[in-house]
Structure formats: C-alpha cells, structure tokens
Amino acid sequence: IAAARATRQRAADAAAAAGRDDLVTAAFAAWTEPTPWQTRPYGMIDDHAVAILERQLERSDQDQATRCRLLAALVAELAGEDDPRPARAAAEAEAIARRLGDPDLLALALTAGTMVVNYEQEPERRASLAAELGSIGHEHGLPEYEWYAEYIAGTAAAVLGQPDELRRRLSTGQRLADEYRMSEAQAVQLCSEAMLAHVEGRFDDARRHYAEATGQMRRNGSLHADVFRDFALFLVD
C-alpha cells in the first residue's frame, strides 16, 4: 500500500507538471481493488491528495464512471474521520454505479459504503452491504470483492454476537484467500485466527498467529504492521 500510494502520487505530480489534468484523474481513478486496511496511516489525512481529488471532482468534463472512482478514492482518504464528506461521496458513488448498471463500479461503491458505516453502531447495515457485495462478487467473477464481503459480514456477526456465523464467514474467507492467493486477505485471515485464539484463552497460539500476521503484513508492505503487532501483543500480555 505504501508503495502504491507513492507511485500514485508520482504519477499525479508528473501529469500535473505536464499540464495533463486528464492523467491526474487517471492516476487517482486507477485504484479499484478493495483493501481490508485503511490505505493511509491511521489518524492521518493526506491533505494534498484530498485537495487533488476535490479539484478533480469539480470538473464538469468527466464521465460518470470516472467520477464514481474518484468519489471512492476520496472516501478512502477520509473514512474514519469526523467529517461528513466521505459519507456524501459514498452515497453519490453508489447512486452513479446503480444508474450505470456496472457491477465492477457498484462493487467499488458498496465497498466505499462499508467504510462510512460504523461497525459498532450499524452492524445490520454492514451485513446488508456485505450480502449485496458478496452476491455481485460471486455472480460476476470478482473474488476480491467476494472475499471482502465475507470479511465485512464477519465483523457484523462479531458485533451482533453470532459466533457460529462469524466462524462460517472466516472459513469461507480463508478458502477464497487461499484459492486466489490474495496476500492481503491471507494476512487478515491470520489476524482472525489470532483473535479466536485470544478470546478462547489460547494465548500462546494468539501470540504465534499475531506474529505470523504481522510478518505477512510487512512482506506486503503494509502501513500498519508494526502498530498492529504492538497493539495486539499488548492486549494479549
């Protein structure tokens, strides 16, 4: 993720220097895959990226599919903050995607929607989004979204106190992550194994799984590996 952000910014800067607003848009609209972690450091906002996105969204010469992707990118930059912009952007992205009838765009927009729905306060809404997203992923051969739907559904099941449903979602997620060799998803599955061991009191297993998970995250170039490791082991110990 860190490398992808740097590459995106270099592309946008080069396009801006060449006076190619269309290529600035292309750089920020290119990120179309769901990611289970925030794509920026926790608690930080890239004001430069947000300003570029907002400037591009003010243009009136873009097609609606591109606008949808830019809105999803804006959500990723601002989700989790006390800011009304990401919720508005997610709602507009979903409306555009439904109007266009493009399953890839709708999957992207629904993913943006999951980022602005509070997992503790609105688990039923997250479960509903996951159900539609999983259906789209399965029907249209989009395993990355199918896995992400299982992940979101699992978080909803945890909040709703449904351990059997949580385990079922984790099992399906593991199958998809391994079948399609999705390394980010596999790291999340390792985190899930650690979580289950942790709550069951198998603390040695929890430490081992957390170490495996953060090792995988580092290999993936994660922005969050060290913070996650320290936080997880603090809770175990």
Side-chain angles (χ1 to χ4, degrees), residues 138-161:
H138 182 72
E139 182 178 351
H140 296 280
L142 302 171
E144 68 278 25
Y145 287 107
E146 192 175 359
W147 175 85
Y148 185 81
E150 295 297 325
Y151 163 69
I152 294 298
T155 66
V159 175
L160 292 168

Side-chain angles (χ1 to χ4, degrees), residues 42 60 178 203 206 212:
Y42 285 118
S60 59
D178 291 342
F203 300 123
E212 291 171 349

Side-chain angles (χ1 to χ4, degrees), residues 8-232:
R8 182 182 69 177
Q9 194 58 58
R10 286 198 303 273
D13 290 344
R20 292 290 303 274
D21 242 17
D22 59 325
L23 295 182
V24 174
T25 296
F28 276 87
W31 201 322
T32 58
E33 304 306 315
T35 58
W37 316 102
Q38 280 191 359
T39 56
R40 66 181 198 279
Y42 285 118
M44 297 180 63
I45 296 176
D46 186 337
D47 293 320
H48 183 50
V50 171
I52 291 173
L53 283 163
E54 291 189 318
R55 186 167 63 249
Q56 295 303 309
L57 285 165
E58 289 172 357
R59 293 176 54 190
S60 59
D61 60 342
Q62 291 165 349
D63 63 85
Q64 288 293 286
T66 298
R67 181 172 181 82
C68 183
R69 294 188 182 96
L70 291 175
L71 288 163
L74 182 63
V75 172
E77 293 297 325
L78 293 172
E81 304 298 324
D82 186 17
D83 190 315
R85 288 176 291 177
R88 290 199 301 263
E92 184 183 349
E94 182 179 343
I96 291 172
R98 291 193 187 282
R99 189 165 61 247
L100 294 178
D102 184 322
D104 291 86
L105 275 183
L106 183 54
L108 180 67
L110 291 174
T111 297
T114 68
M115 297 178 187
V116 298
V117 176
N118 188 286
Y119 76 95
E120 291 180 319
Q121 297 174 356
E122 301 176 272
E124 293 89 352
R125 174 60 179 153
R126 282 173 66 85
S128 175
L129 288 168
E132 183 175 7
L133 188 55
S135 178
I136 292 170
H138 182 72
E139 182 178 351
H140 296 280
L142 302 171
E144 68 278 25
Y145 287 107
E146 192 175 359
W147 175 85
Y148 185 81
E150 295 297 325
Y151 163 69
I152 294 298
T155 66
V159 175
L160 292 168
Q162 300 170 342
D164 291 341
E165 176 70 1
L166 169 60
R167 289 179 183 279
R168 185 176 74 82
R169 296 294 185 173
L170 291 178
S171 177
T172 303
Q174 187 71 64
R175 175 182 61 77
L176 289 166
D178 291 342
E179 183 176 346
Y180 292 97
R181 300 183 182 181
M182 293 184 282
S183 60
E184 284 286 310
Q186 288 172 327
V188 174
Q189 296 296 144
L190 286 169
C191 294
S192 301
E193 289 296 322
M195 175 272 294
L196 290 176
H198 192 169
V199 299
E200 291 170 1
R202 295 183 286 111
F203 300 123
D204 288 341
D205 288 341
R207 292 186 190 93
R208 177 169 56 83
H209 288 312
Y210 281 133
E212 291 171 349
T214 51
Q216 179 73 43
M217 291 166 68
R218 284 193 201 93
R219 289 191 293 275
N220 293 342
S222 171
L223 295 167
H224 313 297
D226 291 336
V227 172
F228 179 83
R229 178 206 59 202
D230 294 345
F231 186 60

